[in-house]
Amino acid sequence: MRLTIVAAQAIRNGAPLTLRAFAPTVLAKYSAEGSRKMSRKWIALGAIVAIIVGVALTAYGAASWDWFGRSRGAGTIEGAALPASAIDARTAARQAGAEALGASGEDHVLFGDLHVHTTYSTDAFMWSLPIFGGEGVYPLADACDFARYCSQLDFWAATDHAEAMTPTRWQQTRESIRQCNAVSGGGAAPDTVAFIGFEWSQVGRTPNDHYGHKNVIFPGLEDEAVAQRAIAAAGVASATLRGSPVQLNRWLPFLDWRHHQDYFDFNHYVREIQAVPECPPDVPSDQLPASCFESAGTPGELVERLDAQRLDYLLIPHGTSWGFYTPPGTTFDKQLHAAQHPERQTLIEVMSGHGSSEEYRDWQEIALAPDGQSAECPQPTASYEPACWRAGEIIRSRCVASGQPANVCEERAADTRRRAANLGVAYHLLIDGEQPADWLDSGQCRDCFVPPFSHRPRTSVQYGLAITNFDDPNQWRRFRWGFIGSSDNHRARPGTGYKPYDRLRQTEAAGANSDEWRTRILGPETPPSDQPNAITQEQLLSRAGFQLTEAERQASFFTTGALAAVHSEGRTREQIYDALRRRETYATSGPRILLWFDLLNSPNGGTPMGGETTMSAAPRFRVRAAGDFKQAPGCPDFTAQGMSADRLSHLCGGECYNPTNERLHITRIEVVRIRPQITPGENVSTLIEDVWRTFPCNDQGQGCTVEFTDPDFVRGRRDTVYYVRAIQEPTPRINGDNLRPTRDAQGRATAVNPCWGDYRTPRSDNCTANVEERAWASPIYVNAPLLRRR
């Protein structure tokens, strides 16, 4: 008992609990109290007990006060520059594809990934831990070598979450990207171009305060061309790390001793974030020291802070309709207000490894009241069941099974629906003992191409292109986006979409590696109840972000990454960035599809994808497209020349982008026409025509060319947005069928077979299903004369 009291006093007083300091004190106390009365046996026993307690207290101190944690750096880039012959062959193959379609041979089509995370991002570090099936950290050096050797990209960007970016990590990021460019070869044909960037990861708990995530990409490498600090999103994302820190249980290193250093290092990583002081909010960004933590609460404030530093940059929204963290009922409308500087968001990420945010649907997740403060649950339709409605059905079925009267069960179901509609992304926490399979495919888009989890159609790309802000009657405000795709990979693997293999490396799927660890992570399951629990919206608002989300159902929606493509004058940094700036870009779902989209009869003689013009005549367009090359197994021979076999195996897992000479076929060209609002409140559903026209593609192995015109433009006399999709023949894709539902004759899900991120789905199961991969050309914005717009 005496040992316990002394130990408790030491803990309260903050004394260092080391074996060397603690054990002699205890032994001296026993000796002073009467060593003559104690036999040597008791002295020895006391020493043993003291040592055991000392060891335990040392372990506690090590876990609680970060004695053993260490910083993880950016790693070491190992791969030499790729052979010039490999780059020449890559260029020649694309130019041959262009020439076969009659496109200019001087036009360079280049592929990249502008959205890549390493374990400088908190979620990436957490998923790298062994308890989540991770294999250890994924530093920036891995991303550089992966981009050049495994996916063989022409360009990529590091975009770790700014909320975890300490001044030291920001400096290391800049230095690592400079090193990547240095080893990639200089001159006019580097093997890859690496850009510096960060992600502003804003999350709102309600539709009124949610703006979503945006990447910031800088053109240059010098310190003066890059933000002094990575600017974080104020609110939930920052508070999760700084206000209510994400830290592992202090005993975890000892429960999994074989990997103890990983857990010590993660807690050290979090403490490094907390140690950075907040920047004074009233000091202009260009006058702040580099050593503080800067944040912005809205996109408008982010723009103003970057502009204060007189920087050139790209601001790219992404994952806009991803419902994992986007509250139901969120729309793009508030981001068109002048204060948010929507004109600075010149590109948008149409698709990533989290799914496609392209498509609008007219169903509602919840029905918001006019004040936006409360919601009701809309009834299901033939194509969509709201998750709040499914919550009521779960309670109803349990209530009926428990023998309650039908009217009682209906009252409980109605109450559950209403409450679930007002709990945002945390509706599932209302149901005790709920299992992912209970929700069937509720909340999901059933007919979208590779949708994100809980797709939010009013933050989709199509919705954003259809709306107009009329605050200034003399100057309408609209989004003018170019399209890109990227991966949003969190394992330092840019451009993962080249082959559907190794799901737990190439996608973000992660989870406990055993039933025991799943219980430890998620806690013991609560028994099912036939009534909703008493949790309130106020209680949920006090919780950290990831505690509210449906991580287990989400695993079935993680897939391989999309790509950004540019039509560039060459391979240099300046040429690539210039193509991105002028929006001569397109997105692909992962394959390296070749795509051209041009307005042929614009007043200036021709307008490429991403362009804008004003004209009175009927627009006439041309589309050229060719499929990606079929892939051979393994890696090209040249990859073994510049990197060790062990490093190549660790990064690429035995599979690289390895094209044959045979192309996959393009089956059709689809045209989407959107005529943006010209009066307030105009029904968006009537303005988005998807698909407006479809053209079969008689592809004999070299792609196809189609031309079309729009005579309605002259008659309609309204601004019109046109973009095209090139659809490739079906091929397997990881999580191509998401929850893998079983459906009845009416198309309703009766059961699901989730692709788990944890041990319940074998690692060998990539959960593939055939999909029609595609490319999306950036829109061409054709304006009618005399309309007011901006």
Side-chain angles (χ1 to χ4, degrees), residues 726-749:
I727 310 298
Q728 190 172 267
E729 64 179 282
T731 49
R733 185 182 188 93
I734 293 175
N735 277 332
D737 195 22
N738 300 133
L739 293 164
R740 300 182 288 188
T742 300
R743 301 193 184 279
D744 62 18
Q746 286 72 44
R748 295 172 298 202

Side-chain angles (χ1 to χ4, degrees), residues 315-430:
L315 183 60
I316 309 173
H318 65 266
T320 56
S321 71
W322 186 29
F324 182 65
Y325 67 87
T326 303
T330 302
T331 79
F332 260 133
D333 294 76
K334 63 181 175 293
Q335 298 200 48
L336 267 182
H337 292 299
Q340 303 308 327
H341 301 292
E343 72 282 356
R344 301 304 295 272
Q345 300 179 41
T346 55
L347 298 172
I348 190 167
E349 189 179 285
V350 176
M351 184 174 178
S352 73
H354 298 162
S356 170
S357 293
E358 177 201 7
E359 297 170 88
Y360 173 75
R361 295 292 182 270
D362 62 1
W363 39 255
Q364 290 183 295
E365 318 96 287
I366 59 173
L368 280 171
D371 62 2
Q373 301 301 313
S374 62
E376 295 295 331
C377 187
Q379 292 196 4
T381 68
S383 60
Y384 179 75
E385 181 183 35
C388 54
W389 191 272
R390 172 53 46 185
E393 294 307 293
I394 294 171
I395 290 298
R396 182 202 303 277
S397 64
R398 290 179 180 179
C399 179
V400 170
S402 68
Q404 299 295 323
N407 64 317
V408 171
C409 295
E410 172 53 32
E411 290 176 2
R412 290 183 186 176
D415 178 59
T416 301
R417 292 194 293 265
R418 179 188 57 78
R419 292 179 57 200
N422 287 277
L423 291 181
V425 299
Y427 56 85
H428 58 109
L429 298 180
L430 192 64

Side-chain angles (χ1 to χ4, degrees), residues 130-142:
I131 56 169
F132 293 106
E135 301 174 318
V137 294
Y138 310 105
L140 266 165
D142 284 8

Side-chain angles (χ1 to χ4, degrees), residues 5 8 20 67 71 129 260 323 346 439 475 477 614 696 758:
I5 294 172
R20 179 176 296 176
W67 293 346
S71 299
L129 296 173
H260 65 279
T346 55
W439 299 93
Q475 196 74 66
R477 194 173 295 271
T614 299
D758 59 27

